[in-house]
């Protein structure tokens, strides 16, 4: 499973924010930001907090990228 948070990073740019701003304003840990930067899953609660702050939906933040079948 591959998770992409590119939508989130684009929204941050559109809102003139960086990851540190998001971390401070939404009260996220640096570990959570690190997980997202690596494309690792985070809780729905984290995504909900971000959506509340950025006035968006989950689909605006996260995209599932299918990996090819491995034989």
């Amino acid at each position: 499973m591959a998770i992409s948070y590119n939508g989130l990073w684009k929204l941050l740019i559109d809102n003139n924010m960086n990851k540190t701003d998001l971390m401070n304003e939404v009260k996220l840990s640096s570990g959570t930001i690190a997980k997202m930067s690596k494309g690792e899953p985070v809780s729905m609660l984290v995504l909900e907090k971000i959506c509340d702050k950025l006035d968006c939906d989950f689909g605006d933040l996260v995209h599932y990228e299918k990996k090819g079948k491995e034989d």
Side-chain angles (χ1 to χ4, degrees), residues 16-58:
N16 294 316
M17 295 176 70
N18 60 38
K19 292 176 183 178
T20 303
D21 295 332
L22 180 68
M23 187 174 72
N24 292 331
E25 292 187 30
V26 182
K27 307 286 191 261
L28 301 176
S29 70
S30 58
T32 297
I33 296 293
K35 283 175 123 180
M36 295 174 85
S37 296
K38 295 176 189 175
E40 296 177 4
V42 296
S43 75
M44 294 295 284
L45 181 59
V46 167
L47 297 178
E48 183 181 345
K49 289 178 181 181
I50 294 170
C51 286
D52 284 344
K53 174 63 185 169
L54 299 178
D55 192 30
C56 63
D57 197 358
F58 294 134

Side-chain angles (χ1 to χ4, degrees), residues 1-7 35-42 61-70:
M1 179 167 50
I3 300 171
S4 170
Y5 295 99
N6 286 342
K35 283 175 123 180
M36 295 174 85
S37 296
K38 295 176 189 175
E40 296 177 4
V42 296
L61 306 177
V62 181
H63 177 75
Y64 171 73
E65 296 178 352
K66 221 177 205 183
K67 290 186 178 180
K69 289 186 178 181
E70 297 178 16

